[in-house]
Amino acid sequence: MDRTFSPFKNSTVSVFWDLDNKPPKSSPYHTALYLRHAASQFGDVMEIVAYANYHAFTHVPEWVREQRRERKQLNMLEQRGLVQPEKPYVCSLCGRKCKTNLLLKKHFKQLHEREHNKRMNRLNALKGKKKLKYREALSPKLERYKEAASPILVPKVGYGLESDLRRAGIFVKTVQYKPQAADIELKKQMVNSMHKGVKCICLVSDDTDFSSMLVDARALNLCTVVFGESRSLKRYADFWFPWGDVSQGLPAEDIQDAIRSWMLHQNSAQHRGLSRISVKQNDGDHVDVIHRIFGGKAPEQKAGLSVFADEETVDAQDEDSSSSEGQTEWDFDDESDELDDVWMDDEVV
């Protein structure tokens, strides 16, 4: 990927996925790869974390049930000879060709699943350094087995969400089955990443509970990206992309076009005297943000408010500043109203 002329060339990105709010609508493995590809347009992806309660990993969504019903009906037709597959089914581990999917499944269980169980039993029997050494040698085979078994074998619980996400390199954690438990853990992880100096925050969610975190991230001059559906968090982020397009493989050109439009908006604002902060901000405001997020320990970044905040957000902050002292004062020039109209017309989607 070419980011030679991108403002995020040397940026670091952390991705936070609220699985309770935005579960995959197709293959979890491919959805995770598409998500990583989209986030990589904003810099080097350092981490992708996904949080959900136990129900998200045991629940079988309707689209998975529909696929299983269609597969079962097709297996019956193939077994009776009413449907002939265009190509034979090929085992990705040994290359054996089977006439029907049921024969492939039978072959996989009798040979490869049995061998896999033997390896796992031996691994569990070993201890100490021998176990670590054997696990290291077994790791490539386990990855190949999981990749081959995913489309053939049906998991006993759920639909393989956790295993597919882990196979795609995503850190997955199950939280307690309590209200907002995943949101709380995600916020803690976001604060931890912000404290480490990450430059870009990508959030996969439509939950408005994350609005305060996005506002604080922008106040620390971080780039904020949201992948969602309802646009409820669009006003709080620098970039917003439809989750349906991202999960199906949003082209890199579309994201780069949005970044170029963002740069044009920023350059236009700077020429008109509205550089990223055209405000007078007291030190107390900065300290308040730092204390709220990091408990008083500031990362090596400067506080700032994005010039691309939604018009409603700007109006709300103006009302707060007029009613209390020590708040941020917005100093726009005479052309500010005209520029706001330009932003609303050319809003980056």
Side-chain angles (χ1 to χ4, degrees):
M1 184 199 59
D2 186 12
R3 292 197 304 266
T4 305
F5 303 103
S6 173
F8 310 106
K9 180 179 178 181
N10 299 319
S11 183
T12 54
V13 183
S14 292
V15 184
F16 305 94
W17 190 352
D18 185 4
L19 283 174
D20 288 339
N21 187 268
K22 284 288 167 286
K25 294 185 177 180
S26 58
S27 169
Y29 177 75
H30 293 96
T31 300
L33 294 183
Y34 291 141
L35 174 60
R36 180 182 293 275
H37 172 72
S40 65
Q41 305 301 314
F42 297 92
D44 297 327
V45 180
M46 307 303 296
E47 59 179 351
I48 302 180
V49 297
Y51 285 79
N53 57 46
Y54 180 75
H55 177 72
F57 300 109
T58 57
H59 172 69
V60 180
E62 183 60 30
W63 65 269
V64 176
R65 297 180 183 180
E66 183 64 24
Q67 287 183 352
R68 291 179 180 179
R69 284 193 292 265
E70 293 178 355
R71 182 71 262 180
K72 184 177 180 180
Q73 185 177 7
L74 184 58
N75 289 342
M76 294 176 61
L77 295 176
E78 289 179 350
Q79 189 176 13
R80 295 176 182 177
L82 300 177
V83 174
Q84 295 293 335
E86 297 180 358
K87 297 180 180 180
Y89 295 91
V90 181
C91 178
S92 59
L93 287 180
C94 64
R96 180 174 178 176
K97 297 181 180 180
C98 302
K99 294 182 178 181
T100 64
N101 185 64
L102 288 177
L103 291 178
L104 175 63
K105 189 174 182 179
K106 182 178 180 181
H107 156 75
F108 196 91
K109 283 187 173 182
Q110 290 180 348
L111 181 61
H112 301 298
E113 188 178 26
R114 184 178 298 179
E115 291 179 354
H116 173 73
N117 292 335
K118 289 181 180 179
R119 295 191 187 102
M120 297 306 297
N121 291 334
R122 181 182 177 186
L123 178 63
N124 296 330
L126 295 176
K127 295 182 180 180
K129 295 183 178 179
K130 291 184 178 180
K131 185 174 183 178
L132 295 177
K133 186 176 180 179
Y134 183 72
R135 178 183 295 172
E136 183 178 357
L138 192 62
S139 179
K141 293 183 179 180
L142 291 179
E143 293 298 325
R144 286 189 58 201
Y145 174 81
K146 292 179 180 179
E147 184 176 356
S150 179
I152 299 177
L153 302 182
V154 177
K156 296 180 179 179
V157 179
Y159 63 106
L161 174 60
E162 183 176 2
S163 59
D164 283 355
L165 293 181
R166 292 186 185 277
R167 187 160 57 92
I170 295 182
F171 175 78
V172 183
K173 184 176 180 180
T174 305
V175 299
Q176 297 179 350
Y177 193 68
K178 294 182 179 180
Q180 307 299 324
D183 295 354
I184 295 174
E185 293 298 327
L186 271 177
K187 289 178 180 179
K188 292 180 181 179
Q189 190 69 29
M190 291 174 71
V191 170
N192 185 41
S193 298
M194 292 162 64
H195 193 272
K196 291 180 179 179
V198 70
K199 303 296 183 181
C200 180
I201 298 292
C202 293
L203 176 64
V204 185
S205 180
D206 278 329
D207 195 340
T208 55
D209 290 340
F210 291 104
S211 59
S212 60
M213 292 297 302
L214 294 175
V215 170
D216 290 340
R218 297 177 73 180
L220 294 172
N221 208 25
L222 302 182
C223 174
T224 54
V225 184
V226 172
F227 303 122
E229 293 177 343
S230 67
R231 300 175 181 249
S232 57
L233 296 176
K234 182 178 180 180
R235 69 179 64 181
Y236 304 104
D238 294 316
F239 298 91
W240 181 93
F241 297 96
W243 170 238
D245 295 344
V246 173
S247 61
Q248 297 297 326
L250 183 65
E253 292 77 10
D254 294 349
I255 301 178
Q256 292 299 324
D257 289 343
I259 294 177
R260 282 190 287 269
S261 299
W262 181 83
M263 294 174 62
L264 290 176
H265 279 295
Q266 188 178 38
N267 294 334
S268 176
Q270 291 176 352
H271 287 310
R272 292 173 178 265
L274 292 173
S275 55
R276 185 165 179 96
I277 298 183
S278 183
V279 301
K280 294 179 180 179
Q281 191 172 37
N282 298 329
D283 294 338
D285 298 331
H286 183 202
V287 174
D288 181 63
V289 174
I290 295 300
H291 180 75
R292 183 168 63 255
I293 302 179
F294 308 109
K297 297 180 179 179
E300 296 180 357
Q301 296 171 344
K302 297 181 180 180
L305 295 175
S306 175
V307 72
F308 305 105
D310 194 86
E311 186 177 2
E312 297 178 2
T313 306
V314 174
D315 294 339
Q317 293 180 349
D318 287 337
E319 294 175 2
D320 293 339
S321 63
S322 61
S323 60
S324 60
E325 297 181 357
Q327 300 293 329
T328 304
E329 299 179 2
W330 296 84
D331 291 339
F332 295 99
D333 56 14
D334 295 335
E335 298 177 341
S336 61
D337 294 335
E338 180 183 354
L339 183 59
D340 286 340
D341 296 336
V342 176
W343 289 341
M344 297 301 294
D345 293 337
D346 298 334
E347 183 179 5
V348 179
V349 178

